[in-house]
Coordinates of all heavy atoms in Angstrom, one line a residue:
Y35 N 27.6 -12.4 8.6 CA 27.8 -13.1 7.3 C 26.5 -13.4 6.6 O 26.4 -13.1 5.4 CB 28.4 -14.5 7.7 CG 28.4 -15.5 6.5 CD1 29.4 -15.3 5.6 CD2 27.5 -16.5 6.4 CE1 29.4 -16.2 4.5 CE2 27.5 -17.4 5.4 CZ 28.4 -17.2 4.4 OH 28.5 -18.0 3.3
I36 N 25.5 -13.7 7.4 CA 24.1 -14.0 6.8 C 23.6 -12.7 6.1 O 23.1 -12.7 5.0 CB 23.1 -14.5 7.9 CG1 23.6 -15.9 8.4 CG2 21.7 -14.6 7.3 CD1 22.9 -16.3 9.6
V37 N 23.7 -11.6 6.8 CA 23.2 -10.4 6.2 C 24.0 -10.0 5.0 O 23.4 -9.5 4.0 CB 23.2 -9.3 7.3 CG1 22.9 -7.9 6.7 CG2 22.1 -9.6 8.4
T38 N 25.3 -10.2 5.0 CA 26.0 -9.9 3.8 C 25.6 -10.7 2.7 O 25.5 -10.2 1.6 CB 27.6 -10.1 4.2 OG1 27.9 -9.5 5.3 CG2 28.5 -9.7 3.0
R39 N 25.3 -11.9 2.9 CA 24.9 -12.8 1.8 C 23.5 -12.4 1.3 O 23.2 -12.4 0.2 CB 24.8 -14.3 2.3 CG 26.1 -14.9 2.6 CD 27.0 -15.1 1.5 NE 26.5 -16.1 0.5 CZ 26.9 -16.5 -0.6 NH1 28.0 -15.9 -1.0 NH2 26.3 -17.4 -1.4
R40 N 22.7 -11.9 2.2 CA 21.3 -11.5 1.8 C 21.4 -10.2 1.0 O 20.5 -9.9 0.3 CB 20.5 -11.2 3.1 CG 20.0 -12.5 3.8 CD 18.9 -13.1 3.0 NE 18.4 -14.4 3.6 CZ 18.5 -15.6 3.0 NH1 19.2 -15.8 1.9 NH2 18.0 -16.6 3.6
L41 N 22.5 -9.4 1.2 CA 22.7 -8.2 0.4 C 23.1 -8.4 -1.0 O 23.1 -7.5 -1.9 CB 23.6 -7.3 1.1 CG 23.1 -6.6 2.4 CD1 24.2 -5.8 3.1 CD2 21.9 -5.7 2.1
V42 N 23.6 -9.6 -1.3 CA 24.2 -9.9 -2.7 C 23.2 -9.6 -3.8 O 23.6 -8.8 -4.7 CB 24.7 -11.4 -2.7 CG1 25.1 -11.7 -4.2 CG2 25.9 -11.6 -1.8
P43 N 21.9 -10.1 -3.7 CA 21.0 -9.8 -4.9 C 20.8 -8.2 -4.9 O 20.6 -7.6 -6.0 CB 19.8 -10.5 -4.6 CG 19.9 -11.0 -3.1 CD 21.3 -11.0 -2.8
L44 N 20.7 -7.5 -3.8 CA 20.4 -6.1 -3.8 C 21.6 -5.4 -4.5 O 21.4 -4.4 -5.2 CB 20.3 -5.6 -2.4 CG 18.9 -5.6 -1.8 CD1 18.5 -7.1 -1.5 CD2 18.8 -4.8 -0.5
L45 N 22.8 -5.9 -4.4 CA 24.0 -5.3 -5.0 C 23.9 -5.5 -6.5 O 24.5 -4.7 -7.3 CB 25.3 -5.8 -4.4 CG 25.5 -5.4 -2.9 CD1 26.6 -6.1 -2.3 CD2 25.5 -3.9 -2.7
R46 N 23.2 -6.6 -6.9 CA 23.2 -6.8 -8.3 C 21.9 -6.3 -9.0 O 21.6 -6.4 -10.2 CB 23.2 -8.4 -8.6 CG 24.5 -9.0 -8.2 CD 24.5 -10.5 -8.7 NE 25.7 -11.1 -8.2 CZ 25.9 -12.4 -8.3 NH1 25.0 -13.2 -8.9 NH2 26.9 -13.0 -7.8
A47 N 21.1 -5.6 -8.2 CA 19.8 -5.2 -8.6 C 19.9 -3.8 -9.4 O 21.0 -3.2 -9.5 CB 18.9 -5.0 -7.4
E48 N 18.8 -3.4 -10.0 CA 18.7 -2.2 -10.7 C 18.8 -1.0 -9.7 O 18.4 -1.1 -8.5 CB 17.4 -2.1 -11.5 CG 17.5 -2.8 -12.8 CD 18.4 -2.1 -13.8 OE1 18.5 -0.9 -13.9 OE2 19.0 -2.9 -14.5
R49 N 19.2 0.1 -10.2 CA 19.3 1.3 -9.4 C 17.9 1.8 -8.9 O 16.9 1.6 -9.6 CB 19.9 2.4 -10.4 CG 20.6 3.5 -9.7 CD 21.2 4.4 -10.8 NE 21.5 5.6 -10.1 CZ 21.7 6.8 -10.7 NH1 21.7 6.8 -12.0 NH2 22.0 7.9 -10.1
D50 N 17.9 2.5 -7.8 CA 16.7 3.2 -7.4 C 17.1 4.4 -6.6 O 18.0 4.3 -5.7 CB 15.9 2.1 -6.5 CG 14.5 2.4 -6.5 OD1 14.0 3.5 -6.7 OD2 13.7 1.4 -6.2
I51 N 16.5 5.5 -6.8 CA 16.9 6.7 -6.1 C 15.9 6.9 -4.9 O 14.8 7.2 -5.0 CB 16.9 7.9 -7.0 CG1 17.9 7.7 -8.1 CG2 17.1 9.2 -6.3 CD1 18.0 8.7 -9.2
R52 N 16.5 6.6 -3.7 CA 15.7 6.7 -2.5 C 16.3 7.5 -1.3 O 16.0 7.2 -0.2 CB 15.4 5.3 -2.0 CG 14.8 4.4 -3.0 CD 13.2 4.6 -3.0 NE 12.6 3.7 -4.0 CZ 11.4 3.2 -3.9 NH1 10.6 3.6 -3.0 NH2 10.9 2.4 -4.9
F53 N 17.3 8.3 -1.7 CA 18.0 9.1 -0.6 C 17.5 10.6 -0.6 O 18.0 11.3 0.2 CB 19.5 9.0 -0.8 CG 20.0 7.6 -0.4 CD1 20.1 6.6 -1.3 CD2 20.3 7.3 0.9 CE1 20.6 5.4 -1.0 CE2 20.8 6.0 1.2 CZ 20.9 5.1 0.3
D54 N 16.5 10.9 -1.5 CA 16.0 12.2 -1.5 C 15.1 12.5 -0.3 O 14.7 11.6 0.4 CB 15.2 12.5 -2.8 CG 14.1 11.5 -2.9 OD1 14.2 10.3 -2.5 OD2 13.0 11.9 -3.5
R55 N 14.9 13.8 0.0 CA 13.9 14.2 1.0 C 14.1 13.5 2.4 O 13.1 12.8 2.8 CB 12.5 14.1 0.5 CG 12.3 15.2 -0.6 CD 11.0 14.9 -1.2 NE 11.0 13.9 -2.3 CZ 9.9 13.4 -2.9 NH1 8.8 14.0 -2.7 NH2 10.1 12.4 -3.8
P56 N 15.3 13.5 3.0 CA 15.5 12.7 4.2 C 14.6 13.0 5.3 O 14.2 12.1 6.1 CB 17.0 13.0 4.5 CG 17.3 14.2 3.8 CD 16.5 14.2 2.5
L57 N 14.2 14.3 5.4 CA 13.3 14.7 6.6 C 12.0 14.1 6.4 O 11.4 13.6 7.4 CB 13.2 16.2 6.7 CG 14.4 16.9 7.2 CD1 14.2 18.4 7.3 CD2 14.8 16.4 8.6
L58 N 11.4 14.1 5.2 CA 10.2 13.5 4.9 C 10.3 11.9 5.2 O 9.3 11.3 5.7 CB 9.8 13.7 3.5 CG 8.3 13.3 3.1 CD1 7.3 14.0 4.0 CD2 8.1 13.7 1.6
R59 N 11.4 11.4 4.8 CA 11.6 10.0 5.1 C 11.6 9.6 6.6 O 11.0 8.7 7.1 CB 12.8 9.5 4.4 CG 12.8 9.5 2.9 CD 14.0 9.0 2.2 NE 13.7 9.1 0.8 CZ 12.9 8.3 0.1 NH1 12.3 7.3 0.7 NH2 12.7 8.5 -1.2
L60 N 12.3 10.5 7.4 CA 12.3 10.3 8.8 C 10.9 10.4 9.4 O 10.5 9.7 10.3 CB 13.2 11.4 9.4 CG 14.7 11.1 9.4 CD1 15.5 12.2 9.9 CD2 15.0 9.8 10.1
K61 N 10.1 11.3 8.8 CA 8.7 11.5 9.3 C 8.0 10.2 9.0 O 7.2 9.7 9.9 CB 8.1 12.6 8.5 CG 6.8 13.1 9.1 CD 6.2 14.3 8.4 CE 4.7 14.4 8.6 NZ 4.0 14.6 7.5
K62 N 8.2 9.5 7.9 CA 7.5 8.3 7.6 C 8.0 7.2 8.6 O 7.1 6.4 9.1 CB 8.0 7.8 6.2 CG 7.2 8.5 5.1 CD 6.8 7.5 4.0 CE 5.7 8.2 3.2 NZ 4.8 7.3 2.5
V63 N 9.3 7.2 9.0 CA 9.7 6.3 9.9 C 9.0 6.5 11.3 O 8.5 5.5 11.9 CB 11.2 6.4 10.1 CG1 11.7 5.6 11.3 CG2 12.0 5.9 8.8
L64 N 8.9 7.7 11.6 CA 8.2 8.0 12.9 C 6.7 7.6 12.9 O 6.2 7.0 13.8 CB 8.3 9.5 13.2 CG 9.6 10.0 13.7 CD1 9.6 11.5 13.9 CD2 10.0 9.3 15.1
Q65 N 6.1 7.9 11.8 CA 4.7 7.6 11.7 C 4.4 6.1 11.5 O 3.6 5.5 12.2 CB 4.0 8.3 10.5 CG 2.6 8.1 10.4 CD 2.0 9.0 9.2 OE1 2.7 9.6 8.4 NE2 0.7 9.0 9.1

Side-chain angles (χ1 to χ4, degrees):
Y35 171 77
I36 294 165
V37 169
T38 307
R39 296 288 297 177
R40 285 286 181 246
L41 286 175
V42 172
L44 272 71
L45 296 172
R46 292 189 188 172
E48 279 291 322
R49 201 175 164 198
D50 207 333
I51 295 176
R52 302 278 180 155
F53 288 91
D54 57 325
R55 294 171 278 176
L57 287 181
L58 188 55
R59 294 186 179 283
L60 280 176
K61 192 175 156 228
K62 282 223 162 204
V63 168
L64 282 178
Q65 182 179 7

